[in-house]
Amino acid sequence: MLSITSKSPYAVLALAELARLPGPDPVPIAELARRRDVPVQFLEQLFAVLRRAGIISSQRRVKGGYRFAREPSTVTVLEVVELLDGPLGRDAQGAFADAADAARRVLAATTISDVIERERREAGASMYHI
């Protein structure tokens, strides 16, 4: 039906954080987990799926961590959701199928780069005082 677990939002936030950090060097998963307040072991499980899907890549050893294997502007939120939570709206009928279709359209049109931009706008809006 319409099921998005906590896995997808956490993964999207961590991917946005990964994309925001400057430079080509891999970012340790503990750093991403700390910055987004996600348990490290949970994020490791999510990133393992995303790595196998070719969204991110990993590097081991002292300077190890994760980096994007694809441009963040090509990774949609729907892709992340369906990798981690399965097909959105599977077996939905009637109004629920319509709701799933609407959610799929929004998530398919939203990339990790869009998430970063939205976070920037929302942070700027909340800092504006008269």
Side-chain angles (χ1 to χ4, degrees), residues 78-96:
L78 180 63
E79 183 177 4
V80 174
V81 167
E82 292 194 332
L83 282 168
L84 297 173
D85 288 318
L88 186 62
R90 177 183 41 207
D91 301 327
Q93 297 177 356
F96 293 102

Side-chain angles (χ1 to χ4, degrees), residues 4 76-79 81 88 102-111:
I4 297 177
T76 69
V77 174
L78 180 63
E79 183 177 4
V81 167
L88 186 62
R104 287 177 61 79
R105 280 192 302 275
V106 170
L107 298 177
T110 306
T111 67

Side-chain angles (χ1 to χ4, degrees), residues 50-93:
L50 299 174
R51 182 185 50 76
R52 285 191 299 272
I55 292 174
I56 55 176
S57 63
S58 64
Q59 179 176 319
R60 295 182 182 219
R61 305 225 165 113
V62 176
K63 294 200 179 223
Y66 289 87
R67 66 171 63 105
F68 272 90
R70 293 176 23 205
E71 287 297 317
S73 61
T74 69
V75 178
T76 69
V77 174
L78 180 63
E79 183 177 4
V80 174
V81 167
E82 292 194 332
L83 282 168
L84 297 173
D85 288 318
L88 186 62
R90 177 183 41 207
D91 301 327
Q93 297 177 356

Side-chain angles (χ1 to χ4, degrees), residues 1-25:
M1 236 352 177
L2 287 174
S3 180
I4 297 177
T5 67
S6 60
K7 295 187 278 189
S8 294
Y10 278 129
V12 168
L13 291 175
L15 288 172
E17 190 64 33
L18 180 62
R20 281 183 54 241
L21 294 172
D25 295 333

